[in-house]
Amino acid sequence: MVLSRRGVVLGGLAAVAVGATGNIVQAATGKSFFAGTASDNNFVYRKTNFAKIDKRWHRQIVKYFSSETVGTVVVDTRHHFLYLIMENKTAIRYGVGVGKEGFKWYGRATIDRRALWPQWVPPPEMLKRRPELPPMVAGGAPNNPLGPRALYLYRDGADIGYRLHGTLEPWSIGTDASSGCIRMFPEDIIDLYQRCPIGTAVEVLPHIADQAPASTTVE
């Protein structure tokens, strides 16, 4: 499989910062999606109020049958799940937000860079479309759309412009909301970061969930 629309996605590495959405109604509604704050590596972030999140998007261990090796990350963009393959035909399943129509991508890559509280630099293509955006947002800033962690995807040693990262908009998990990158709850990207060393294989497919039984949660 070949990754496509590289230029489009480079124009939108991170979906949106809360301060740049312009959607006041959604931002106001989103307040109930937060439950206090937490400290991480000298930065503070808003904790997700999982009581407001559909349980299907909660991190959980599931039965998962795959020919991929243990430790591989598999992303099902159609059903909004990311799987980290474990032993004994199981996986950790995370709910994710994926690319909107026109920004979706599929293919294989490796995690060749990891960042704690990464800074966000909107690429030239995005700044051209949205000149109101700042040229750089510091890591840990309240309006940094990457959140507490970012895992950068490469192919053949080259950055392909796609990332797995946090989000400022927990209500967007389970939807097509980003400009191509895979967004996760802050708590989930922190968890995934700890489990994925440099060199972790990543495969993004459109129909992974169709291979699993209807009920997969391990009791």
Side-chain angles (χ1 to χ4, degrees):
M1 288 177 286
V2 179
L3 295 172
S4 61
R5 296 190 177 91
R6 179 174 181 267
V8 174
V9 177
L10 284 175
L13 287 181
V16 280
V18 165
T21 62
N23 191 335
I24 297 174
V25 174
Q26 187 178 50
T29 302
K31 290 180 180 178
S32 65
F33 285 88
F34 301 104
T37 61
S39 178
D40 172 82
N41 286 272
N42 298 318
F43 290 102
V44 175
Y45 67 93
R46 290 188 292 179
K47 295 190 298 183
T48 304
N49 181 6
F50 284 99
K52 294 291 185 180
I53 303 297
D54 189 312
K55 290 184 178 180
R56 82 179 73 176
W57 311 126
H58 291 200
R59 181 170 74 241
Q60 56 191 282
I61 303 296
V62 300
K63 277 292 183 182
Y64 190 76
F65 300 88
S66 173
S67 60
E68 300 293 337
T69 59
V70 172
T72 299
V73 170
V74 181
V75 183
D76 169 16
T77 58
R78 179 180 296 178
H79 299 88
H80 306 96
F81 291 125
L82 180 151
Y83 298 88
L84 176 61
I85 296 177
M86 301 176 68
E87 297 177 344
N88 301 319
K89 298 183 176 61
T90 63
I92 302 175
R93 190 182 76 186
Y94 307 81
V96 298
V98 303
K100 295 177 287 190
E101 192 62 40
F103 292 94
K104 296 178 180 178
W105 59 278
Y106 311 107
R108 288 183 178 271
T110 59
I111 295 172
D112 283 357
R113 179 187 168 199
R114 310 186 322 148
L116 287 166
W117 293 101
Q119 70 174 15
W120 180 56
V121 179
E125 294 87 349
M126 175 175 272
L127 288 173
K128 185 176 181 179
R129 296 197 313 270
R130 302 179 61 188
E132 78 280 4
L133 292 176
M136 188 275 287
V137 179
N143 63 333
N144 187 317
L146 300 184
R149 305 285 188 277
L151 301 173
Y152 298 77
L153 303 187
Y154 284 64
R155 288 187 74 191
D156 301 321
D159 184 353
I160 60 175
Y162 303 106
R163 287 87 172 90
L164 313 177
H165 61 76
T167 184
L168 299 174
E169 302 177 337
W171 54 86
S172 70
I173 299 301
T175 71
D176 297 351
S178 78
S179 294
C181 292
I182 305 301
R183 56 171 63 175
M184 306 174 70
F185 295 118
E187 295 85 354
D188 283 356
I189 191 61
I190 289 172
D191 182 83
L192 185 67
Y193 179 96
Q194 296 172 333
R195 301 176 187 275
C196 293
I198 296 295
T200 295
V202 178
E203 183 169 16
V204 179
L205 293 177
H207 48 66
I208 283 295
D210 293 342
Q211 301 175 13
S215 178
T216 56
T217 301
V218 176
E219 300 298 338

